[in-house]
């Protein structure tokens, strides 16, 4: 990686290279001091117990300097895995960063393997959160291959990142900045209006976000020609974290005149698997796999299988789960269903566990969600299936978020859409309108919604 990254902006504050270098140096020394005198060795691992950008950036660079793994704790992280060092970094003050280093007697339940670069926790959106170990070589491959694939490898790009860095998606963009330089403009809290302001008022060539962000940006751009022009001028309009609904992609293209660059990845894959870009884009797909990454579809289940240098080494403390996820010949079972077209473009349909089974046939929730999202009053929709003891199979529950909370869609209008666009057994039995619960990365919490549908008939 580069010895010196490019310029850094955090929530509008410019962090000078000197300030960043000073904070990293102080943090590395403090971390070494905590264990060094007693053991004669640097820390076994470094953990950042925060989701703020300054904390993650300074700690990541300090861990790299010490050649130790970085533990990035998520909201649902299991504390028994937590390493002995926790670093907090105060918010920028006049361009300065104030690191605070503390120690804890805990040790990782299982020491990470030699060569581990970072440990992430999965979001838990599809089950229990697990600690994913990625090697330094996997992280380096991700930064290199992703930047080359997207054409942002010349160090002259301005990356706008309104995503948490303690998740693999956001951290991968940080890795590109670390590898190639340019400017990283980090928003520590997702505020669509702030994203829109920077697209309009600050030099920006690349934006990454979740589908919900692009829904709101397209709506704002309808009446804002400057925002439309700014979004259209971006080299990369990257989208991940959840399946991009076809209605959201179509609306954005119609308003802005340029596509959202949908992508696919998961923490266990480092995270990027396939990405759309200006050179690799096809409607209804997430683009083509990164160079060096192989993708195939399991013929019996339709599951997406991935193999390549970006994959995890395993789940910490969970050899059983590692064995379930990684085959003996190196293929990762993603748990997602998808398809490959003859030109190698990948389409992702949804998670195996999210599949709705009716009359013995599998149906992706997106089929129903797209019908609901076609209503102009709907910002987002999540559909889950609840198993029943009846012959037809699952009952369908829909949770809908209004585009304007003051003017929510009527249940009658939504049911009419479903009646017109869906076969009888795929029409939702319950439709509830309200704010969707979301995970820290911004995607809807399907696990919570599935539990709510199963335990209370959809009531929240």
């Amino acid at each position: 990686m580069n010895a010196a990254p490019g310029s850094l902006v955090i929530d509008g504050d410019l962090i000078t290279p000197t300030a960043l270098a000073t904070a990293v140096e102080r943090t590395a020394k403090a971390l070494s001091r905590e264990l060094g005198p007693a053991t004669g060795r640097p820390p076994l691992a470094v953990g950042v117990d925060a989701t703020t950008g300054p904390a993650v950036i300074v700690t990541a660079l300090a861990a790299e300097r010490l050649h130790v793994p970085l533990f990035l704790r998520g909201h649902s992280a299991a504390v028994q895995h937590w390493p002995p060092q926790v670093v907090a970094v105060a918010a920028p003050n006049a361009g300065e960063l104030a690191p605070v280093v503390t120690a804890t007697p805990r040790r990782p339940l299982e020491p990470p393997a030699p060569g581990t670069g970072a440990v992430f926790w999965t979001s838990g959106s599809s089950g229990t959160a697990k600690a994913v170990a990625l090697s330094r070589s996997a992280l380096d491959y991700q930064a290199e291959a992703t930047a080359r694939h997207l054409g942002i490898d010349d160090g002259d790009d301005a990356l706008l990142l309104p995503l948490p860095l303690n998740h693999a998606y956001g951290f991968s963009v940080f890795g590109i900045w670390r590898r190639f330089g340019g400017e990283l403009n980090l928003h520590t809290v997702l505020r669509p209006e702030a994203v829109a302001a920077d697209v309009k008022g600050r030099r920006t060539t690349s934006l990454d976000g979740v589908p919900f962000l692009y829904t709101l940006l397209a709506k704002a751009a309808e009446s804002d020609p400057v925002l439309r022009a700014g979004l259209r001028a971006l080299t990369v309009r990257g989208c991940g974290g959840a399946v991009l609904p076809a209605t959201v992609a179509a609306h954005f293209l119609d308003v802005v005149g340029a596509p959202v660059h949908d992508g696919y990845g998961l923490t266990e894959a480092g995270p990027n698997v396939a990405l759309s870009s200006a050179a690799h884009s096809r409607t209804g797909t997430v683009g083509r796999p990164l160079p060096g990454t192989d993708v195939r579809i399991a013929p019996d289940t339709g599951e997406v299988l991935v193999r390549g240098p970006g994959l995890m080494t395993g789940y910490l403390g969970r050899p059983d789960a590692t064995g379930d996820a990684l085959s003996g010949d190196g293929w990762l079972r993603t748990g997602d269903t998808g398809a490959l077209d003859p030109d190698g473009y990948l389409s992702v349909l949804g998670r195996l566990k999210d599949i709705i089974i009716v009359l013995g046939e599998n149906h992706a929730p997106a089929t129903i969600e797209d019908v609901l999202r076609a209503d102009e009053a709907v910002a987002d929709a999540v559909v889950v299936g609840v198993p029943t003891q009846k012959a037809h199979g699952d009952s369908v529950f829909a949770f809908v978020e209004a585009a304007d909370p003051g003017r929510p869609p009527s249940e009658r209008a939504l049911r009419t859409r479903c009646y017109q666009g869906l076969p009888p057994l795929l029409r939702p039995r319950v439709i509830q309108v309200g704010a969707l619960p979301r995970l820290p990365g911004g995607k809807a919490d399907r696990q919570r919604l599935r539990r709510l549908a199963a335990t209370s008939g959809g009531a929240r």
Side-chain angles (χ1 to χ4, degrees), residues 134-143 269-270 309-312:
L134 295 173
S135 67
R136 293 189 186 93
S137 62
L139 295 173
D140 288 344
Y141 161 77
Q142 277 285 324
L311 298 190
M312 67 173 180

Side-chain angles (χ1 to χ4, degrees), residues 12-282:
D13 292 317
L14 176 65
I15 309 302
T16 67
T18 299
L20 180 60
T22 299
V24 172
E25 179 70 22
R26 289 175 179 171
T27 301
K29 286 182 177 179
L31 287 167
S32 295
R33 206 163 43 237
E34 291 292 343
L35 290 185
T39 65
R41 300 190 304 272
L44 177 68
V46 172
V48 54
D49 191 11
T51 59
T52 61
V56 176
I57 288 174
V58 171
T59 312
L61 297 177
E64 180 182 312
R65 179 169 299 191
L66 295 171
H67 303 289
V68 296
L70 173 69
F71 277 55
L72 291 128
R73 186 173 183 180
H75 287 282
S76 57
V79 296
Q80 64 264 31
H81 286 297
W82 199 238
Q85 303 302 323
V86 181
V87 179
V89 180
N93 180 18
E96 298 296 322
L97 294 170
V100 179
V101 178
T102 60
T104 169
R106 290 192 292 269
R107 297 292 187 273
L109 185 64
E110 175 185 319
T116 299
V119 176
F120 299 87
W121 267 263
T122 60
S123 66
S125 61
S126 59
T128 303
K130 296 182 286 289
V132 177
L134 295 173
S135 67
R136 293 189 186 93
S137 62
L139 295 173
D140 288 344
Y141 161 77
Q142 277 285 324
E144 181 82 20
T146 299
R148 302 288 189 207
H149 190 76
L150 296 178
I152 52 174
D153 55 357
D154 61 2
D156 190 41
D157 281 277
L159 315 177
L160 175 53
L161 181 62
L163 293 171
L165 288 179
N166 62 319
H167 291 277
Y169 181 12
F171 196 83
S172 70
V173 179
F174 163 77
I176 293 174
W177 171 75
R178 184 74 181 96
R179 170 69 177 82
F180 292 101
E183 178 178 283
L184 177 63
N185 178 11
L186 179 67
H187 291 200
T188 60
V189 177
L190 175 56
R191 293 187 296 117
E193 65 277 11
V195 173
D198 274 357
V199 169
K200 292 193 297 183
R202 180 186 290 274
R203 180 178 178 268
T204 304
T205 61
S206 173
L207 168 66
D208 281 275
V210 295
F212 188 57
L213 172 64
Y214 287 100
T215 298
L216 299 180
L217 288 176
K219 181 174 178 59
E222 289 176 345
S223 57
D224 190 335
V226 178
L227 177 58
R228 285 200 301 275
L231 290 169
R232 188 166 55 248
L234 295 174
T235 302
V236 174
R237 294 168 291 274
C239 183
V243 174
L244 176 66
T247 52
V248 173
H251 183 228
F252 188 94
L253 178 61
D254 182 58
V255 172
V256 175
V260 175
H261 295 133
D262 196 9
Y264 170 66
L266 61 162
T267 307
E268 292 87 342
N272 298 320
V273 172
L275 299 172
S276 299
S277 68
H280 308 277
S281 184
R282 182 166 292 180

